């Protein structure tokens, strides 16, 4: 419920600024984590927009640098910017969003996964093939994220600037947490048919989870980004792990 109202604030702010009706809005920080440094995540992008003035640096999502001028993020983070990519920015190397460290680069195009679509689970929007690639206005000189698949990994790490609980709206510090990968069955129990193991990964627990404004950020396993924060029922709710978009389904 509280989550829904935060999502509505975001939708309203973006909708007012873009003057278009928005069916959903990006969301998603890290529950149960600890402060982290972008030096450990040099390829990690804070995806945002100067029109999203309710958050420092305009940040509303995460992303990963996959080529010097390409950032991988969640489809639901940027689908409403498809016709106005120039409103988006990617910021690297900024541990604290209220600061001005690192570098910010403009976005020139948004390509959302051709099979991206939305359904719903209770009040949450479920993103299928929840991936998008942003083209940057110039290449950045930073290490690239290496991509992979979770395989049989049992744990991973998540990183993001999002909420540290369902009620913390104010976190602006990069944080990271170690999360369990409990397997498909845990998310099938929680979410039924809304969880599609062919394009989603189940991760997190009541002790460590992603949350609003973490979306599009990385789930790292065995040193590779294996999925991006996508959706879930609340944050850190017992029995409801987070759901991540698999990268194997990259077009
Ligand atoms: C969100 O609203 C969101 N606990 C992201 C991740 C999770 C829940 C919600 C997973 O963007």
């Amino acid at each position: 419920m509280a989550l829904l109202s935060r999502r509505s604030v975001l939708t309203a702010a973006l909708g007012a600024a873009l003057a278009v009706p928005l069916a959903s809005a990006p969301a998603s920080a890290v529950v149960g984590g600890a402060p982290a440094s972008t030096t450990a995540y040099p390829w990690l992008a804070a995806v945002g927009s100067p029109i999203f003035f309710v958050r420092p640096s305009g940040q509303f999502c995460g992303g990963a640098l996959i080529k010097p001028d390409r950032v991988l993020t969640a489809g639901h983070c940027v689908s409403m910017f498809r016709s106005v990519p120039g409103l988006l920015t990617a910021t690297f190397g900024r541990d604290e969003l209220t600061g001005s460290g690192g570098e910010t680069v403009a976005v020139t195009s948004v390509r959302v996964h051709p099979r991206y679509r939305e359904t719903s689970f209770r009040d949450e929007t479920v993103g299928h093939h929840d991936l998008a690639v942003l083209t940057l206005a110039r290449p950045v000189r930073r290490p690239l994220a290496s991509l992979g698949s979770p395989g049989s990994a049992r744990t991973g790490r998540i990183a993001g600037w999002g909420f540290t609980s369902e009620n913390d709206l104010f976190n602006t510090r990069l944080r990271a947490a170690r999360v369990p990968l409990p397997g498909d069955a845990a998310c099938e129990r929680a979410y039924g048919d809304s969880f599609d193991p062919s394009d989603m990964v189940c991760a997190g627990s009541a002790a460590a989870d992603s949350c609003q404004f973490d979306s599009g950020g990385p789930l790292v396993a065995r040193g590779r980004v294996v999925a991006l924060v996508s959706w879930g029922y609340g944050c850190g709710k017992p029995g409801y792990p987070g759901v991540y978009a698999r990268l194997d389904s990259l077009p």
Side-chain angles (χ1 to χ4, degrees):
M1 198 56 200
L3 211 60
L4 185 68
S5 61
R6 279 200 297 270
R7 195 174 277 266
S8 305
V9 168
L10 187 60
T11 306
L14 283 171
L18 290 171
V20 291
L22 300 175
S24 70
S28 133
V30 173
V31 176
S37 165
T38 53
T39 56
Y41 301 91
W43 41 263
L44 179 63
V47 173
S49 174
I51 67 169
F52 193 54
F53 36 74
V54 303
R55 291 267 298 167
S57 299
Q59 184 268 347
F60 50 76
C61 275
L65 188 70
I66 54 169
K67 292 185 186 166
D69 64 346
R70 295 279 194 285
V71 168
L72 182 64
T73 185
H76 79 269
C77 288
V78 294
S79 63
M80 69 287 277
F81 289 91
R82 266 184 281 214
S83 59
V84 284
L87 291 178
L88 288 170
T89 57
T91 299
F92 303 90
R94 188 169 298 170
D95 295 2
E96 169 51 61
L97 295 173
T98 56
S100 58
E103 59 181 325
T104 296
V105 186
V107 169
T108 56
S109 88
V110 172
R111 192 157 46 93
V112 176
H113 194 293
R115 294 177 67 195
Y116 173 69
R117 70 188 171 90
E118 292 177 356
T119 57
S120 56
F121 175 82
R122 301 196 190 163
D123 290 336
E124 307 291 342
T125 301
V126 175
H128 302 262
H129 301 284
D130 193 7
L131 299 170
V133 175
L134 309 177
T135 303
L136 304 180
R138 64 170 172 86
V140 293
R141 267 191 292 271
R142 299 192 157 261
L144 306 179
S146 27
L147 308 183
S149 93
S152 55
R154 304 294 298 266
T155 64
R157 279 190 82 71
I158 54 173
W161 289 269
F163 298 171
T164 59
S165 79
E166 280 186 20
N167 306 308
D168 155 41
L169 295 82
F170 301 110
N171 179 59
T172 52
R173 180 76 173 76
L174 181 66
R175 300 176 67 88
R178 185 179 156 94
V179 289
L181 270 55
D184 295 341
C187 275
E188 278 159 357
R189 264 194 305 278
Y191 302 120
D193 288 346
S194 297
F195 179 79
D196 179 351
S198 74
D199 80 297
M200 301 175 190
V201 178
C202 190
S205 67
D209 192 10
S210 50
C211 199
Q212 298 229 15
F213 299 125
D214 290 326
S215 278
L219 170 64
V220 178
R222 303 184 302 182
R224 292 170 184 270
V225 177
V226 299
L228 302 186
V229 178
S230 180
W231 65 279
Y233 181 61
C235 311
K237 269 199 205 311
Y240 293 93
V243 184
Y244 295 72
R246 266 184 196 278
L247 306 187
D248 329 293
S249 83
L250 272 180

